[in-house]
Amino acid sequence: MPTLTTYQTRILPEWVDYNGHLRDAFYLLIFSYATDALMDQLGMDSQNREASGHSLFTLELHLNYLHEVKLDAQVEVRTQIIGHDAKRLHLYHSLHLAGGDKELAGNEQMLLHVDLAGPRSAPFTEQTLGKLKALLTEQSDLSPPAYIGRVIALPPAR
């Protein structure tokens, strides 16, 4: 199975900067909507959040801007599950022109399953774990994305 297409949109005028490019913050907005769509697919939609009192919180993310995205472009986010444990989900979103192969931006995320009453970390339900395991199995033939596990740093001074 290829990566999941989790979100599609057109680049809106209010998202574009003075250079005619998608503003930095709106890349993350698009990826955030893709995370919401993945949560829905995992059964963690708004009704489930209200009923269970559980949700996902973002612990960390890395965003790589790879190519320009311009006004009115039709884009889509493809999502790959990298891994999970009992409480955390590691995923990767890539932004593409709709139907295109070239990666325009990449977004690695580490999410935590949270009991909102605490708030405190909580294990995923068996149903969610089953869906995560199924997605991992379906995506097992995918290569790891090129932009995961990166660290921001300057080279050592000489």
Side-chain angles (χ1 to χ4, degrees):
M1 172 185 180
T3 53
L4 299 169
T5 298
T6 48
Y7 187 69
Q8 298 176 319
T9 190
R10 178 180 65 84
I11 302 304
L12 303 175
E14 58 269 25
W15 294 356
V16 175
D17 68 13
Y18 45 84
N19 292 317
H21 303 138
L22 183 61
R23 287 186 175 275
D24 297 357
F26 290 97
Y27 284 85
L28 187 53
L29 177 72
I30 291 168
F31 288 132
S32 182
Y33 287 144
T35 299
D36 290 350
L38 177 65
M39 289 175 65
D40 290 350
Q41 190 157 6
L42 293 173
M44 300 178 70
D45 57 20
S46 60
Q47 289 178 343
N48 177 276
R49 283 188 298 276
E50 287 180 29
S52 70
H54 291 176
S55 188
L56 287 177
F57 284 12
T58 304
L59 293 176
E60 182 175 355
L61 63 82
H62 296 203
L63 184 50
N64 290 281
Y65 304 97
L66 305 172
H67 297 282
E68 298 172 343
V69 179
K70 298 193 176 193
L71 177 64
D72 288 328
Q74 291 287 341
V75 295
E76 63 188 27
V77 176
R78 300 174 192 160
T79 302
Q80 183 175 350
I81 305 301
I82 304 303
H84 68 84
D85 62 15
K87 298 178 182 180
R88 293 174 298 180
L89 172 59
H90 184 195
L91 63 84
Y92 186 80
H93 295 304
S94 57
L95 184 69
H96 302 261
L97 291 177
D101 290 329
K102 183 186 211 177
E103 185 174 356
L104 305 173
N107 175 230
E108 180 180 15
Q109 295 187 13
M110 183 66 70
L111 307 173
L112 179 67
H113 189 244
V114 173
D115 178 345
L116 298 171
R120 64 185 175 279
S121 65
F124 288 112
T125 66
E126 287 302 317
Q127 180 182 4
T128 300
L129 281 174
K131 289 180 180 184
L132 284 170
K133 288 175 185 174
L135 281 173
L136 266 175
T137 299
E138 291 172 3
Q139 295 182 338
S140 63
D141 60 336
L142 295 175
S143 299
Y147 295 96
I148 61 169
R150 294 172 53 98
V151 175
I152 297 174
L154 294 171
R158 294 182 188 214

